[in-house]
């Protein structure tokens, strides 16, 4: 009777199936940071929905147009992406820039004018378009570190990503004075930043993104060009972007402009 009630098939001489061992994920299969081509393209795209914390040093050893001496600016820049429901490539992108400047002829470093833009970005098969408002706040702790004006204006960005290895586009902003110190000049100028990036292998890339300035108030112009090299890599599990650029002013009008500029950028990428 005990044999008939036994649940074990071994009692009847039937072969036992080998137990299936639990799945073990090998070290080679462990997930890693997405440093593939698509991620690298997002990391170098100024309007992509990728969270970033960027630290930038801008060193200008000399000026032209009646200004002499050297100047240093240190920028903290944070980018906050807010994807639309059901999308990872279209949504809202908020960028905050906080500069600290050591002006010409000064040994102290001061907080400059804080900038922000808020773009609505839409992704297409060929690239990305973003548009929205931008603002500049007269937060400078020294007269020489800012313009003393509350400024508001439009911002527009475009990036073409359909060409393998290439990114081509621009970011345009036009701050306009709406209030501020009556003793300071009104602001109405276009910041036009053409952007070209060519991706190499192993995270390396070449880029150019010099910002042209058109002052609609006094006719001032600045036309710089630059060229840089950068690499996207990991420190531990943290992806980062390191970029070094040299910039040269090829034409300026009615304004004191940098002759040469060196820019060093270090960005924490937050996928």
């Amino acid at each position: 009777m005990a044999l008939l009630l036994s649940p074990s098939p071994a009692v009847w001489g039937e072969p036992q199936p080998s137990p299936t061992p639990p799945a073990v994920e090998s070290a080679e299969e462990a997930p890693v940071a997405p440093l593939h081509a698509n991620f690298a393209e997002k990391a170098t795209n100024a309007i992509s929905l990728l969270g970033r914390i960027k630290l930038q040093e801008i060193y200008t050893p000399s000026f032209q147009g009646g200004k002499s001496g050297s100047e240093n600016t240190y920028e903290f820049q944070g980018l906050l992406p807010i994807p639309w429901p059901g999308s990872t490539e279209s949504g809202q992108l908020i960028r905050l820039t906080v500069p600290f400047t050591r002006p010409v002829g000064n040994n102290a470093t001061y907080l400059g004018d804080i900038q922000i833009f808020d773009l609505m970005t839409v992704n297409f098969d060929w690239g990305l378009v973003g548009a929205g408002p931008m603002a500049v706040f007269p937060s400078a702790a020294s007269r020489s570190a800012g313009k003393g004006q509350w400024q508001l204006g439009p911002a527009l960005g475009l990036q073409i990503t359909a060409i393998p290895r290439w990114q081509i586009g621009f970011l345009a902003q036009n701050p306009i004075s709406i209030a501020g110190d009556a003793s300071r000049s009104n602001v109405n100028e276009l910041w036009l930043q053409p952007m070209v990036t060519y991706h190499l292998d192993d995270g390396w890339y070449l880029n150019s993104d010099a910002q042209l300035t058109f002052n609609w108030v006094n006719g001032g112009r600045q036309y710089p060009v630059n060229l840089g090299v950068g690499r996207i890599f990991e420190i531990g599990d943290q992806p980062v972007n390191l970029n070094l650029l040299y910039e040269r002013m090829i034409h300026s009008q009615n304004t004191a402009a940098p002759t040469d500029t060196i820019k060093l950028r270090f960005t924490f990428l937050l996928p």
Side-chain angles (χ1 to χ4, degrees), residues 116-128:
I116 190 170
F117 71 49
D118 186 355
L119 300 184
M120 297 296 109
T121 65
V122 180
N123 185 65
F124 298 93
D125 291 340
W126 51 264
L128 192 65

Side-chain angles (χ1 to χ4, degrees), residues 17-252:
S18 300
T20 303
V24 177
E25 191 176 68
S26 67
E28 291 78 14
E29 297 173 338
V32 296
L35 297 184
H36 47 74
N38 290 342
F39 181 78
E41 289 179 0
K42 292 186 69 172
T44 56
N45 186 333
I47 61 172
S48 68
L49 293 188
L50 176 65
R52 279 159 278 189
I53 298 174
K54 183 168 78 173
L55 308 174
Q56 176 174 228
E57 179 180 4
I58 304 171
Y59 174 61
T60 303
S62 61
F63 284 82
Q64 52 188 265
K67 190 175 181 180
S68 61
S70 65
E71 184 173 278
N72 269 85
T73 298
Y74 306 93
E75 284 186 353
F76 166 86
Q77 194 175 89
L79 285 89
L80 174 64
I82 306 175
W84 289 338
S87 175
T88 60
E89 304 298 333
S90 299
Q92 182 179 6
L93 180 67
I94 301 172
R95 189 180 83 175
L96 177 71
T97 303
V98 181
F100 295 87
T101 300
R102 180 190 60 77
V104 169
N106 204 313
N107 292 325
T109 299
Y110 303 99
L111 173 66
D113 289 344
I114 295 174
Q115 306 169 22
I116 190 170
F117 71 49
D118 186 355
L119 300 184
M120 297 296 109
T121 65
V122 180
N123 185 65
F124 298 93
D125 291 340
W126 51 264
L128 192 65
V129 175
M134 61 85 61
V136 181
F137 309 104
S139 54
S142 169
R143 186 181 180 91
S144 58
K147 297 188 175 181
Q149 297 288 313
W150 294 87
Q151 304 163 52
L152 187 65
L156 175 66
L158 178 144
Q159 286 284 326
I160 298 172
T161 58
I163 307 172
R165 293 185 179 265
W166 288 92
Q167 287 175 291
I168 302 171
F170 69 86
L171 177 63
Q173 303 177 76
N174 198 132
I176 303 169
S177 295
I178 57 173
D181 187 343
S183 68
R184 306 292 296 274
S185 298
N186 286 333
V187 175
N188 182 1
E189 58 186 19
L190 171 64
W191 304 338
L192 178 60
Q193 192 175 9
M195 300 176 179
V196 178
T197 303
Y198 181 74
H199 286 273
L200 305 168
D201 296 327
D202 198 28
W204 290 93
Y205 63 89
L206 303 174
N207 69 313
S208 177
D209 62 3
Q211 178 175 286
L212 286 66
T213 303
F214 303 83
N215 189 319
W216 307 124
V217 176
N218 67 3
R221 302 285 187 268
Q222 292 186 14
Y223 303 148
V225 294
N226 68 11
L227 181 63
V229 60
R231 192 185 182 209
I232 299 162
F233 60 99
E234 289 179 306
I235 299 178
D237 292 330
Q238 174 61 56
V240 297
N241 183 3
L242 182 64
N243 187 207
L244 177 66
L245 299 105
Y246 169 74
E247 186 166 298
R248 177 77 176 179
M249 186 67 61
I250 59 174
H251 175 73
S252 64

